[in-house]
Amino acid sequence: MNFRQITAAERTATMFPLQAYAFMPSPWSAEEEEKYRRRMRFYETAVTLVAEEDGQTLAGVAAFRMRQNVRGLVHDMAGVASVSSHPAARRRGLVRELMHRLLRQTRDEGCAVSVLYPFRPSFYARFGFVGIPRHRTAAFAPEGLGHLLRAELPGEVERVPMAEGFDAWDGLQRRLLTERHGFAVFDAVRAAEFRDDRYWVAVARVDGEVVGAVRYRVDRHGGELAAGHLHCTGSLGRALLLQFFARHVDQVSRVVVQISTDEVPELWGTDLTVTAEGRVDFPTRGGPMARVLDMEALAGTPVGPGAITIEIPDDELIGGVWRLESVGGDLTVAKATTPSVTLSVGGFSGLLYGVLDPIEVAARGLGAVPAEAVPALASMFPRAMPYVVADF
Ligand SMILES: CC(C)(COP(=O)(O)OP(=O)(O)OC[C@H]1O[C@@H](n2cnc3c(N)ncnc32)[C@H](O)[C@@H]1OP(=O)(O)O)[C@@H](O)C(=O)NCCC(=O)NCCS
């Protein structure tokens, strides 16, 4: 078996048949293959690894170069995607070997964390990944926001095709990356594909500054306005975008928009009938999963007060004994001995990402946490829900 890294140009001949078989209706057409080939210019910076035997590609994995905010510190992130193997070669450990190689390589190239969307979380839990929240959706009739039609808000919303609005939409996401826990963005090469998308973008500005942006489509007169993530810097940006939705009152019967877990849409209006929904199922609508790839890169993370020595057993990348200490609110990380708590990679990642507390880590079987260790871990890594918006 030969394992190697391939270029984006090689993906059409090697990865496409595996991915098309795994993820698309099949058999596929020559046009679909040609469409994939044309998209590969957006994959130039992705790391793609394959397993080959007798000239045939049997399995492949890839990672997009991304950036992610974890508790206020922005890291290089490996966005794992394109994981597939030939049906005849499944259950032979090929993807396991490729995943280990991919995580090691991306860590060596500077990625401190990794995120993916699982077809089945238990498969990736074995590689140290832990679940983080999937976005929610809010669905409502625009008349529920009728009060906003009359509101005088100090700003304006411009509606432009994506090709024109891309820079504002993408630029706002790059700003939110620095401000919002969990937020992740693609590098410029991968992100450029969205410029060609057939979407409208509504851009909210106050004194020329972008404070909100959302992409959307309208399916038909009297139908649905389906929007992506409601990106905003604060309540004024949100109010301007909601006011824009409200102006579609005689045009569509429903607005559906993607929101973070901390949005509370029933508070957007007095008579607003709204369904806020978080839907996770497999294999197509998994919640994202995350893991730490590099402990020392976490130094400087804003954390609560406390100090603790943890052991992470059996992991090539972050295994070992680590002293974690808050010095003036910033995390320091040093190699150590005599741990007071044992955490799996998933258990530690769950604490760092703010999705699990120490009791939940123990209850989920992701670590052995003695009662004395709970207060320090709970204080240093308080709950903080990450908001991952990039789908890949
Ligand atoms: C999911 C998929 C990539 C697994 O590939 P594979 O080559 O069979 O994986 P491996 O043989 O390397 O399996 C690694 C380990 O996971 C286990 N495993 C494989 N498929 C599994 C599954 N569906 N559920 C749970 N465990 C699974 C294997 O038994 C193996 O265990 P081991 O480490 O104890 O030996 C492959 O089945 C596939 O292409 N599926 C369709 C596409 C898809 O869903 N891709 C994932 C997108 S996120």
Side-chain angles (χ1 to χ4, degrees):
M1 190 66 57
N2 182 34
F3 295 94
R4 71 176 178 107
Q5 182 170 358
I6 59 166
T7 63
E10 287 175 280
R11 284 181 56 123
T12 309
T14 55
M15 291 282 273
F16 176 74
L18 299 179
Q19 286 187 267
Y21 188 78
F23 304 121
M24 287 166 48
S26 65
W28 53 88
S29 64
E31 293 77 51
E32 281 160 331
E33 184 169 342
E34 176 54 22
K35 190 172 160 209
Y36 184 90
R37 195 191 59 72
R38 281 199 305 271
R39 291 184 60 221
M40 287 305 102
R41 67 182 190 278
F42 304 113
Y43 285 61
E44 294 284 352
T45 51
V47 178
T48 305
L49 305 182
V50 293
E52 298 167 325
E53 196 172 51
D54 303 327
Q56 197 194 354
T57 308
L58 296 182
V61 297
F64 295 117
R65 292 183 196 278
M66 302 181 69
R67 308 263 294 154
Q68 186 180 35
N69 180 321
V70 182
R71 284 194 187 272
L73 196 62
V74 177
H75 298 284
D76 284 353
M77 171 193 130
V80 174
S82 316
V83 176
S84 49
S85 57
H86 192 288
R90 288 180 186 164
R91 300 296 204 276
R92 280 171 53 186
L94 295 181
V95 166
R96 179 180 359 108
E97 177 60 26
L98 284 168
M99 278 294 292
H100 283 306
R101 286 172 182 251
L102 184 70
L103 297 179
R104 192 188 316 139
Q105 178 171 339
T106 50
R107 195 280 310 268
D108 291 348
E109 292 176 3
C111 291
V113 290
S114 179
V115 170
L116 53 77
Y117 283 82
F119 72 101
R120 183 201 285 248
S122 54
F123 180 81
Y124 292 105
R126 303 163 66 152
F127 298 96
F129 286 84
V130 69
I132 56 177
R134 187 174 168 84
H135 65 79
R136 297 341 194 197
T137 59
F140 55 90
E143 50 263 39
L145 295 176
H147 62 289
L148 284 173
L149 289 173
R150 295 177 302 278
E152 291 280 340
L153 300 174
E156 63 282 322
V157 176
E158 183 190 25
R159 183 219 69 191
V160 285
M162 179 54 102
E164 257 173 70
F166 177 82
D167 289 337
W169 176 76
D170 185 62
L172 178 60
Q173 289 181 73
R174 283 168 206 283
R175 169 174 169 188
L176 294 175
L177 169 71
T178 64
E179 297 175 358
R180 193 113 202 224
H181 172 46
F183 216 86
V185 299
F186 290 107
D187 71 358
V189 173
R190 180 72 189 86
E193 184 171 17
F194 299 99
R195 196 183 282 274
D196 303 336
D197 277 345
R198 202 149 57 83
Y199 276 103
W200 294 111
V201 186
V203 182
R205 290 189 178 83
V206 173
D207 296 330
E209 183 194 342
V210 177
V211 295
V214 63
R215 62 178 187 161
Y216 69 94
R217 285 188 183 128
V218 178
D219 66 347
R220 64 188 161 84
H221 187 221
E224 185 172 293
L225 186 160
H229 290 275
L230 192 69
H231 296 309
C232 48
T233 58
S235 11
L236 186 51
R238 185 196 298 105
L240 283 164
L241 293 177
L242 294 180
Q243 183 181 56
F244 178 75
F245 288 151
R247 293 193 173 134
H248 293 74
V249 60
D250 298 314
Q251 184 186 339
V252 297
S253 56
R254 210 163 93 108
V255 174
V256 181
V257 60
Q258 298 178 335
I259 53 172
S260 68
T261 51
D262 59 2
E263 282 284 359
V264 189
E266 61 268 39
L267 305 183
W268 290 348
T270 308
D271 282 335
L272 177 64
T273 299
V274 58
T275 304
E277 196 177 35
R279 188 161 169 207
V280 168
D281 54 46
F282 307 105
T284 50
R285 263 188 300 259
M289 300 179 84
R291 69 155 282 170
V292 175
L293 299 178
D294 186 343
M295 283 302 271
E296 279 158 346
L298 302 181
T301 303
V303 290
I308 191 141
T309 304
I310 65 165
E311 175 168 27
I312 299 176
D314 307 326
D315 187 70
E316 188 196 335
L317 303 179
I318 65 166
V321 180
W322 301 98
R323 178 75 180 160
L324 306 177
E325 207 167 331
S326 168
V327 176
D330 288 341
L331 184 68
T332 62
V333 180
K335 291 213 162 77
T337 51
T338 21
S340 54
V341 52
T342 303
L343 299 170
S344 66
V345 179
F348 176 67
S349 300
L351 289 168
L352 179 77
Y353 274 84
V355 294
L356 297 176
D357 69 25
I359 311 256
E360 289 165 327
V361 166
R364 292 268 301 270
L366 298 172
V369 188
E372 318 74 87
V374 170
L377 286 172
S379 161
M380 293 176 74
F381 302 106
R383 199 171 175 84
M385 280 302 137
Y387 182 32
V388 178
V389 299
D391 257 315
F392 44 92

